[in-house]
Amino acid sequence: MRFGLDIGGTKIEIVAFNAEGESIYNQRIKTPDNYQNFVAAVYHLVCDAEKYLSCTGSVGIGIPGTICTHTGLVKNANCTFINGHDLKSDLQQKLDRDVFIANDANCFALSEAVDGAGSDGQVVFGVILGTGCGGGLVVNQQVLTGPNGISGEWGHNPLPGYSESSDGQEQQCYCGKRNCIERYISGTGLEMQYLQRFGQALPAAEIISGMQSGEMSCRLAYYQLVDQIARSFATIVNMIDPDVIVIGGGLSNVASLFDDIPKQLTRYVMDHECRTKILPAQYGDSSGVRGAAWLPVSR
């Protein structure tokens, strides 16, 4: 049995998978607002699952942050109360077993590389385009983290050619840097740029709906987004040349992106042609928790 847990700002989800990768149990609870209650909540979720299923299992956890490879402490998590804590050791002591923890975007990429949209590829780059923009890199079904624990965080590189593709208006990112890719190619970025360009606040879903119905301002915002995604993906292709880039998050539901991005991508990659597949996530919102469950067997 493999237990995967997905940690979010509002909810914690546990899913149990059998040897065939089938989900046979799941439970969601509200995310606690302090560290002690959080550790206790994870402990009780695992214990409740094991009691219900009458068996034990491995535990993998996807968090909205990462583990510092030098100190072992959580860093960069938007669930800020877990930052600075040795979450892995605390949970291992509480559960009396090994616990495997990774960034949630890495878990997403791993799920899609093992048995999802990227299962035929050797090198898979997973991208989550939602409220923000995350990334994860998997090679031969192994998550690559690197000595800094931040492999795949290409969303916090500067947007390539931002002055040409965003009217030159600089954006301050929460990470402290300016003009990060995440500030542009995300639902939040799409809304921000639409407001700046047309002076009207619209949710990302309405911008996409307007594009689909032919509204000119929405079409312009959409194709600006496509160009920015293509510029950003070109840096990935030029550096690691993945077999497939798998897209998850809310923007992955926009079917036209998977026709429009490859066309624009050829303008920016080195050879002006690109055989890298751009595909939607096979497991959608479930990929994160699935990838967390696969962590113990991907090491």
Side-chain angles (χ1 to χ4, degrees), residues 110-284:
L110 179 61
S111 171
E112 293 297 326
V114 170
D115 61 354
S119 60
D120 292 335
Q122 180 182 14
V123 180
V124 177
F125 196 89
V127 173
I128 300 176
L129 299 181
T131 304
C133 168
L137 177 60
V138 176
V139 178
N140 293 328
Q141 299 187 355
Q142 305 290 310
V143 175
L144 299 189
T145 55
N148 301 298
I150 56 173
S151 175
E153 290 289 0
W154 120 111
H156 292 284
N157 288 336
L159 176 73
Y162 82 90
S163 60
E164 292 87 357
S165 63
S166 59
D167 302 325
Q169 299 188 56
E170 290 197 347
Q171 298 296 323
Q172 181 72 44
C173 184
Y174 76 88
C175 74
K177 297 179 172 52
R178 291 183 179 273
N179 305 318
C180 287
I181 287 170
E182 178 170 300
R183 293 292 296 152
Y184 299 92
I185 65 166
S186 61
T188 304
L190 176 61
E191 294 170 356
M192 174 271 296
Q193 292 183 93
Y194 188 91
L195 175 62
Q196 288 183 339
R197 192 171 182 183
F198 302 106
Q200 181 184 4
L202 276 185
E206 292 187 22
I207 297 172
I208 297 301
S209 177
M211 176 275 295
Q212 293 167 341
S213 62
E215 295 180 26
M216 184 54 66
S217 61
C218 295
R219 285 176 58 83
L220 290 171
Y222 168 78
Y223 283 108
Q224 181 182 45
L225 174 69
V226 169
D227 183 73
Q228 291 168 343
I229 294 174
R231 290 173 185 267
S232 303
F233 281 10
T235 63
I236 298 171
V237 175
N238 286 343
M239 290 185 68
I240 62 175
D241 202 10
D243 298 286
V244 58
I245 297 175
V246 182
I247 303 178
L251 287 176
S252 69
N253 297 317
V254 183
S256 56
L257 286 175
F258 298 94
D259 290 323
D260 295 332
I261 293 172
K263 295 174 184 176
Q264 195 72 354
L265 190 55
T266 58
R267 295 183 57 192
Y268 300 117
V269 296
M270 181 179 177
D271 289 339
H272 298 291
E273 63 177 359
C274 186
R275 297 184 178 88
T276 300
K277 298 177 182 177
I278 311 295
L279 300 175
Q282 181 172 328
Y283 293 107

